[in-house]
Amino acid sequence: MTAEARGIVAIIEPADGPAGALTAEVLGVARRLGNDLNEPVTAVVLGETVAEVGPLWEFGADKVIRVVHPLLAEFNLDAALGALEPLIRRENPNVVLMAHTFQGRALGPALAFRLQTGVATDCVDLRPGAGGGSLVLTRSILGGNFRAEVVIDTRPQIVTLRPKAFPPAEPTPGRTGTVEEFRPEPDPVRVRQEVRRRIQEAAAEGVRLEDARIVVAGGRGLGGPENWHLVEELASALGAAVGASRAVTDAGWVPTSLQIGLTGKTISPDLYIAVGISGAVQHMAGVSAAKTIVAINKDPDATIFRYARFGVVGDAKQILPALTREIKKALGKA
Amino acid sequence: MNIVVCIKYVPDWEAPASQFRIEDSRLVPAPGIAYRISDTDDEAIEAALQLKEKHGGRVTAISLGPASARDGLKHALAMGCDQAVLLDDPAFEDSDAAGTAAVLAAAIRKLGDVDLILTGRQAADWDQGQVHAGIAEFLGLPAVIPARHIEWTGSEFIVHRIYEEGYEEIAVKPPCVVACSNEIAEPRYPTLRGIMAASRAQIPVWTAADLGIDPGRVGRAGRRTRVLRLYAPQVEAKCEFIEGENPEEIAAKLVQRLREEKLL
Ligand SMILES: Cc1cc2nc3c(=O)[nH]c(=O)nc-3n(C[C@H](O)[C@H](O)[C@H](O)COP(=O)(O)OP(=O)(O)OC[C@H]3O[C@@H](n4cnc5c(N)ncnc54)[C@H](O)[C@@H]3O)c2cc1C
């Protein structure tokens, strides 16, 4: 008989750092589950980029496992699978959590199939099942028009969590735990992909879209790349980050790294200004954590107004320059 | 270069939510709702056709039922795919992503001699993004997701994989699985000739027996995940429209309201 699967494993996103927002969210969920199910929480860190483990303990990890191998210096799916498969088999956890980032999108399903278990991707909510049974996992389907509550009958239950959908862990200063190293030997024959280069397209300076307090985003309604400067000017007057709908990134007006939504980034600004964006559910999936939405759209029946706190019906090409001027005036920049 | 493209035929995801009904944890589209090849699956077909046009070979489209998926496969043929196979068997019904991937993997094994397997990054109905990974693991192949560009150097594929800040150039040896993102290609419209040829084409149906699949591994019996319940989330409309004689007046009023709400 196999031993009962026990424990919550949280896979930490190396790029996010030990005290990053995603780390706090994933460990927040892990800690709450650990408390509810009375199971230990283990944070797994791929590679050596995360030097400090203190914040992981403070966010709720009882144990930190650093997985050390030269191939894990940056995310390589084959190497990550080769490293995590033996580790997860050894740990035999009940639940494996990770953020639904571009790493989690690749790793979650692949790890599940490698371990012959089930996975629920992009979950927006979860709770322990009745009587300690499988977790009840809430996913959005049909872009966000519907929600599904699903359960995973196999172990471990692998879950990718939508960024910004869960409250971050509150650090407990001085909380400590244990730390160990795991040195995997991924089968070189199964490492058949190699990351040759990383090309950064998002601006290296300025606020990251994910962290911005104010975001101005443009959609197809801008009419063409020649009008994109109107979005940038408003953003710069506000000190905001710039985002886009998929229609715009798909058309190549701006890089994919600006895409907000189900298959792009999840943001949580205090103020989100959507210009010429229709408000498709897949776009809104990325902004459900925004506190206040302002929509500018020439169609009074546009779906975006269903989500907006403030709406302006009008032509973006006329409204934006006037709004930029007013903002500059108001903020004393004119 | 031999390419297999896995496509899913799904109800029009752009139809309003009111056109769907929830029935026993299933989503049932209203009778008038059209089915389409899923978002990014059509882009995967286009990417396959472009690789074939450059390097020769054969493009095969496969889809796991229902029988109406035959229309999706016809569309794939009309776009220029060389052959199509429908995978349909009552044993496949109610498969989760694991069951679906097992069937697709078995069909790819039966086709044999494949260099590249393409899928979309996630189907527009269930938004899971799992099937590519299942196919890869069942066949013991590497997988890359999500891809916005693929090229063949003669010995390996160079795949541009999207990540938060840009993209990575990943070198991967064939055969491999690549899940395509929308940027990868603009799907072509079928030509009239393509449509005519597709309408005459025979689309074979492969069943569990044809694929040598143990029915206990697929469908309801082979599920690792179950749906407990579906529901529609509520959005409440409370939009305050800002009006005015001209853009300046509207802009001034909006700024004033944002200041009152302490958003500026
Ligand atoms: C699986 C899947 C994943 C997806 N992921 C994403 C995602 O991550 N992010 C995303 O954004 N989309 C995503 N989409 C696409 C999404 O469904 C929409 O197609 C997309 O968001 C539309 O972009 P848009 O609002 O810019 O364009 P449109 O829908 O074309 O809307 C343009 C809007 O501009 C308005 N307009 C036109 N002219 C003007 C003007 N002069 N002034 C003001 N307004 C004007 C129009 O009234 C309209 O409302 C996804 C779709 C699928 C199926």
Side-chain angles (χ1 to χ4, degrees), chain A residues 102 114 143 149 192 198, chain B residues 127 137 140 161 168-169 228:
Chain A
F102 282 88
R114 181 66 57 93
E149 287 182 353
R192 290 146 305 181
R198 279 196 145 192
Chain B
D127 288 318
E137 287 295 319
R161 172 183 179 270
E168 304 172 328
E169 274 182 20
L228 294 184

Side-chain angles (χ1 to χ4, degrees), chain B residues 108-122:
Chain B
I108 293 163
R109 206 179 280 123
K110 184 174 159 90
L111 285 166
D113 191 19
V114 175
D115 303 296
L116 178 64
I117 298 148
L118 297 181
T119 69
R121 62 184 283 182
Q122 65 188 49

Side-chain angles (χ1 to χ4, degrees), chain A:
Chain A
M1 214 181 88
T2 51
E4 196 193 336
R6 200 163 173 277
I8 317 295
V9 164
I11 296 180
I12 304 308
E13 190 93 12
D16 193 48
L22 291 170
T23 301
E25 287 166 32
V26 174
L27 276 175
V29 174
R31 187 66 264 167
R32 277 190 297 281
L33 277 181
N35 293 349
D36 288 345
L37 302 174
N38 192 23
E39 296 186 20
V41 171
T42 302
V44 169
V45 182
L46 288 180
E48 288 165 286
T49 37
V50 177
E52 238 192 306
V53 297
L56 302 176
W57 291 328
E58 295 190 346
F59 281 149
D62 301 306
K63 177 164 80 175
V64 177
I65 303 178
R66 259 181 218 282
V67 187
V68 180
H69 191 279
L71 275 175
L72 299 173
E74 57 193 350
F75 179 65
N76 174 323
L77 179 59
D78 286 357
L81 288 173
L84 287 171
E85 181 189 356
L87 176 66
I88 303 292
R89 285 198 194 284
R90 186 193 79 181
E91 294 291 306
N92 192 23
N94 181 14
V95 180
V96 177
L97 302 172
M98 67 189 86
H100 192 72
T101 52
F102 282 88
Q103 172 173 316
R105 284 174 166 109
L107 183 58
L111 185 61
F113 281 101
R114 181 66 57 93
L115 294 167
Q116 293 167 310
T117 187
V119 56
T121 53
D122 202 10
C123 292
V124 296
D125 198 4
L126 59 76
R127 62 176 192 269
S134 299
L135 303 177
V136 177
L137 303 152
T138 307
R139 315 186 47 252
S140 89
I141 62 169
L142 226 90
N145 274 322
F146 293 91
R147 293 272 156 90
E149 287 182 353
V150 301
V151 291
I152 300 170
D153 290 322
T154 48
R155 295 293 179 273
Q157 305 167 77
I158 298 191
V159 182
T160 73
L161 305 171
R162 178 174 294 181
K164 321 278 191 190
F166 296 88
E170 289 290 342
T172 308
R175 187 179 183 283
T176 61
T178 58
V179 58
E180 63 180 73
E181 246 175 42
F182 180 74
R183 295 189 176 269
E185 287 159 34
D187 180 356
V189 181
R190 296 201 76 176
V191 180
R192 290 146 305 181
Q193 55 183 305
E194 185 195 326
V195 182
R196 290 269 163 85
R197 289 201 301 151
R198 279 196 145 192
I199 293 90
Q200 169 142 359
E201 293 179 317
E205 71 282 359
V207 267
R208 279 167 78 228
L209 192 47
E210 295 91 323
D211 304 331
R213 213 183 59 75
I214 306 179
V215 173
V216 180
R220 188 166 12 225
L222 263 298
E226 67 281 5
N227 296 323
W228 193 256
H229 67 98
L230 297 174
V231 173
E232 287 174 338
E233 283 154 15
L234 176 60
S236 125
L238 284 162
V242 171
S245 73
R246 190 182 80 170
V248 163
T249 55
D250 195 42
W253 301 357
V254 298
T256 308
S257 57
L258 295 193
Q259 183 182 318
I260 294 166
L262 187 64
T263 49
K265 291 184 176 173
T266 315
I267 60 169
S268 56
D270 293 336
L271 179 59
Y272 178 60
I273 305 182
V275 187
I277 290 178
S278 60
V281 272
Q282 294 90 353
H283 181 81
M284 301 318 289
V287 297
S288 55
K291 290 208 185 72
T292 302
I293 297 177
V294 174
I296 301 172
N297 195 302
K298 72 167 189 196
D299 173 7
D301 295 324
T303 317
I304 187 87
F305 292 125
R306 294 219 312 257
Y307 301 89
R309 170 81 180 80
F310 297 106
V312 173
V313 178
D315 183 345
K317 293 187 285 299
Q318 290 169 359
I319 303 291
L320 282 185
L323 188 55
T324 303
R325 274 195 303 275
E326 276 309 315
I327 300 266
K328 282 186 176 161
K329 235 197 278 171
L331 300 181
K333 291 192 193 167

